[in-house]
Amino acid sequence: MVASLLIILMIGPMTCSSAAALDHEQGTVGAAAPDTVVAGDQPQAEISPPPAESVDADHTRKRLILGIAAAVVSGLALALIVALVKRSRDRLKRRYAKSVGHILENLTDGVIIADENGDVLFANEAAAAISGTRRPDVSLTEWSSVHGIFLPGSNRPLPPEDLPLTRAIRGETIADVELRVRNPRVPHGIHILVRGGPLLGIRGDVQGGVVVFRNVGERKKDEERIRRLSNVVQQTADAVIVTNREGTIEYVNPAFESTTGYTSEEAVGRSPRILKSGRQSPEFYRELWATVTGGSTFRGMTINRKKNGELYHSEQTITPMTDEHGEITHFVSVNKDMTERRKVEEQAIELDLASLVQQRLYPASDPDIPGYDLAGAVSSAEATSGDYYDFVLLPDGTVVIVVADVSGHGLGPALVMAETRAYLRSLTRATGDLVTITAGLNDFLFADLQDNHFVTMLLARLDPPTGRLNFVNAAHPAGAIVARSGKLVASLSSTCLPIGMFGETWRGVMQQVEIEAGETAVFATDGVLECESPEGEAFGADRVLEVVSSHRRSSAAEIVAEVHRAVREFRQGERQEDDVTVVVLKRLTICPKYS
């Protein structure tokens, strides 16, 4: 078509030029004819000019032909221009549509476009990656059941009329509807956030619907992590302070409020200097600030002051927080109140020292008594003990053996135990009479002890030559004497009330037994007899006698160790609830020194 138009355009000018040349030729010939004679001198026919009417008609026809040709050419040129413009416009439309399709295909959000009948016209790859299907091959009424679309927290499929795409086709605009998708292709399920709206034609009529959705599972996980972290910070027992770069407090947690006495409203907007106690040097704070502003974490012990003026020790960690460019934006301070722990540590140190002191109050070694074997040992339930045993050699050669138990255990009873030992040793220097000793001890302790505090005691005096054993048992567990055969020979039962509970009405009562050669006497505190197994059964006196009887040929120290071991095994790893003390006295032979 273009070639034809070009030919016509070329013919047009040529036709006009030929007509003009013909007019010029005819005019020239007509003017020269009268004076011209051809060769041979033969007369020629005279050529006469055409009539004027004929010339005018020819000119008119020519002009008409040229006008028609020009009109045809103009029409064809216009058609060409229109065709070229339309072709260019279609090409631009196709290129634009291709670009839009490329953009939609490469979106990370899922996109689904459907017509007014719900038939899917377009769905990108992200739609399949998020929802498990690119082009749902079922009608909208079956989408929920087939593709597993639910409301969060519900196991019932979403009704078809509530689907965002269905609503968009109805002409609704949908903003941020959260749904859960779970199907065989998405077995673990995901959460999606959906937006959508109607697909409108040129005249504004609804021709379908469009929905755009994204996987918000990771966002929900992030939100959950942030929520948990926030809960941790809110509920932690350590005080947390967040300040800006300049050191102004922007956040404190509830533990800060309970520790310092300052409310969040009182602290936010102020400096942590409100806690400054003045107990630490300016150099300490300069080093602290230089450390954190330099990007390093500060760790140290600080002495702070509460709102009420009370001082407290804090184990403090200050960490600088940076942005993506590495610039410090905030400081986070975590403060652990160490006041009570320091008190406990100080008490532990004191208890350790008290324990060392108390250990020196027990006999440093077992006494060497000819013809006898005597030993004892204490196992404390805590660092210090309320149990007490002692051996006191008197000037007349007799030996005082004492096993006592202060009510309770721990530091308080340990102090009473030390007091009891001091009184007892002082009294035995003045007299060897057991009743006098226990009466004096009762008077001293009754004046010192509070109500419901007392001491049980088995106080015995051994006369080595004769084997006589005088004793006063002040409500203490009975001692026992076991024969060479392993049978119980005698019991050193209680003879009077506990020491320290009663004043002048208290009376000590003394009794006497004898220990023969080959016999073994054992004394123990209630920590031995009342030790319980995991089932709640008490160790009891019979088990003590069984251990002594089965090891009666062993040394006194070995028998003491065996009783302690048996008690530990009986507990089966359970915590020791009371102090355990055992003393064993064996008579080996008749002492030749006294025979």
Side-chain angles (χ1 to χ4, degrees), residues 47-68:
I47 301 174
S48 300
E53 293 83 357
S54 177
V55 174
D56 292 338
D58 288 340
H59 280 288
T60 301
R61 283 194 299 270
K62 290 176 183 177
R63 291 190 186 95
L64 180 60
I65 291 170
L66 290 176
I68 292 171

Side-chain angles (χ1 to χ4, degrees), residues 79-98:
L80 175 62
I81 293 170
V82 170
L84 289 174
V85 170
K86 184 176 185 301
R87 183 177 180 183
S88 177
R89 184 182 298 151
D90 291 342
R91 187 165 56 250
L92 289 174
K93 285 183 177 179
R94 287 194 298 271
R95 186 179 300 170
Y96 176 76
K98 186 176 181 181

